[in-house]
Amino acid sequence: MPVEEFVAGWISGALGLVLGHPFDTVKVRLQTQTTYRGIVDCMVKIYRHESLLGFFKGMSFPIASIAVVNSVLFGVYSNTLLVLTATSHQERRAQPPSYTHIFLAGCTGGFLQAYCLAPFDLIKVRLQNQTEPRAQPGSPPPRYQGPVHCAASIFREEGPRGLFRGAWALTLRDTPTVGIYFITYEGLCRQYTPEGQNPSSATVLVAGGFAGIASWVAATPLDVIKSRMQMDGLRRRVYQGMLDCMVSSVRQEGLGVFFRGVTINSARAFPVNAVTFLSYEYLLRWWG
Ligand SMILES: C[N+](C)(C)CCCC[C@H](N)C(=O)O
């Protein structure tokens, strides 16, 4: 099995993640704190009080997990295409695979990466939702003191299966949307590239950016449900299951609930996925 795709997926995912982390920090702060007036105000305050480093808090754990998640995503995608079409990455410009094959390979990659992502994503969401300020002498410490402590506590309090809370919603979110991700990317690249040639850097950046936005917009409804399922179980159980979570969220908050956070998510998705695809393509061209 060609391994370059796994390694290229890992490195490119890490580069994208570093670029997107400042957006993620702003998103989390806006979602959980009331001291900021908006995106710009939040950025200015972080910069003033915490310098540029403030934007990169809590990045080590996602960097470690993206190694697994993105290498599975790209590695499985590319190797599934190899099985379906008998063409390697290098041959695919000359013999482009059909969109059906691209979609199927994307769905396979999305399905398998969702399982690897589930525990990491659960821990990220639990930590991001801790609104307590940093530990001060005298005040009770936050429930989770860091990613490892968080994982151990979930394991102890909710059992090993607790680490996979929300995994079904995550799988449903990612299986079709990773298909959309690769179809958008390939479609845009083909549109702007003369036949048989490699797409230019500008094309890869734009196609990657829009692939990120399109897939995140499609993923947002189940993203909201997934996050709610992951937070359920922290204290008492509120939802009987995914469907119950959907119905009661819509009943209480209207259909708009399915598009919470879509703006900042799209703003993050463009640079992250532009850089991810650019580095992925270039690494494979180098090694090819
Ligand atoms: C399919 N879905 C939109 C959920 C994710 C696609 C993954 C893209 C990239 N790792 C990122 O974090 O943006």
Side-chain angles (χ1 to χ4, degrees):
M1 181 162 62
V3 292
E4 304 97 87
E5 283 92 345
F6 286 95
V7 180
W10 160 34
I11 298 178
S12 61
L15 289 173
L17 188 121
V18 171
L19 200 73
H21 199 77
F23 293 91
D24 205 63
T25 306
V26 173
K27 181 191 85 178
V28 171
R29 299 257 178 129
L30 287 177
Q31 284 175 337
T32 57
Q33 299 186 25
T34 49
T35 45
Y36 306 115
R37 271 175 288 139
I39 297 180
V40 177
D41 182 50
C42 179
M43 289 169 122
V44 170
K45 283 191 177 140
I46 295 180
Y47 184 70
R48 280 221 190 108
H49 300 304
E50 303 157 68
S51 83
L52 267 189
L53 284 180
F55 291 98
F56 291 96
K57 282 191 180 155
M59 200 176 62
S60 55
F61 195 60
I63 283 279
S65 59
I66 199 88
V68 183
V69 173
N70 233 58
S71 65
V72 170
L73 177 66
F74 280 85
V76 172
Y77 167 72
S78 197
N79 282 288
T80 309
L81 264 187
L82 179 66
V83 171
L84 289 175
T85 65
T87 51
S88 71
H89 185 83
Q90 287 77 13
E91 294 158 347
R92 274 176 216 144
R93 288 294 161 216
Q95 297 159 262
S98 72
Y99 285 113
T100 313
H101 283 153
I102 293 175
F103 185 71
L104 287 177
C107 292
T108 314
F111 180 80
L112 288 175
Q113 67 100 39
Y115 264 86
C116 306
L117 177 63
F120 293 116
D121 194 65
L122 172 73
I123 289 161
K124 187 195 82 139
V125 167
R126 292 270 175 109
L127 289 176
Q128 285 181 320
N129 270 317
Q130 291 200 133
T131 50
E132 293 94 339
R134 294 226 155 252
Q136 280 156 2
S139 65
R143 182 182 188 121
Y144 304 127
Q145 271 133 44
V148 177
H149 179 243
C150 179
S153 315
I154 296 175
F155 189 86
R156 209 177 39 243
E157 291 158 15
E158 300 166 54
R161 288 189 55 197
L163 284 170
F164 284 85
R165 202 177 289 285
W168 262 116
L170 187 66
T171 311
L172 281 181
R173 182 194 83 174
D174 281 6
T175 305
T177 56
V178 172
I180 294 175
Y181 183 64
F182 284 108
I183 282 220
T184 313
Y185 176 70
E186 276 299 321
L188 287 173
C189 277
R190 283 181 200 179
Q191 187 82 31
Y192 297 106
T193 310
E195 247 182 61
Q197 284 184 26
N198 279 326
S200 70
S201 308
T203 304
V204 171
L205 283 171
V206 172
F210 280 110
I213 293 188
S215 64
W216 269 113
V217 169
T220 302
L222 276 166
D223 190 47
V224 175
I225 301 304
K226 181 257 338 160
S227 301
R228 293 185 174 204
M229 298 293 296
Q230 287 173 324
M231 291 308 289
D232 202 26
L234 194 53
R235 287 183 187 90
R236 57 184 189 83
R237 295 293 294 275
V238 179
Y239 306 120
Q240 245 110 61
M242 215 164 60
L243 215 68
D244 181 42
C245 176
M246 283 184 190
V247 172
S248 56
S249 297
V250 172
R251 247 193 222 137
Q252 281 161 20
E253 295 153 79
L255 279 174
V257 74
F258 286 134
F259 285 95
R260 283 268 168 90
V262 73
T263 314
I264 186 97
N265 240 345
S266 305
R268 173 192 164 279
F270 194 94
V272 169
N273 293 290
V275 165
T276 299
F277 273 106
L278 187 71
S279 40
Y280 178 74
E281 292 281 354
Y282 272 84
L283 286 170
L284 287 179
R285 265 182 231 175
W286 258 348
W287 295 333

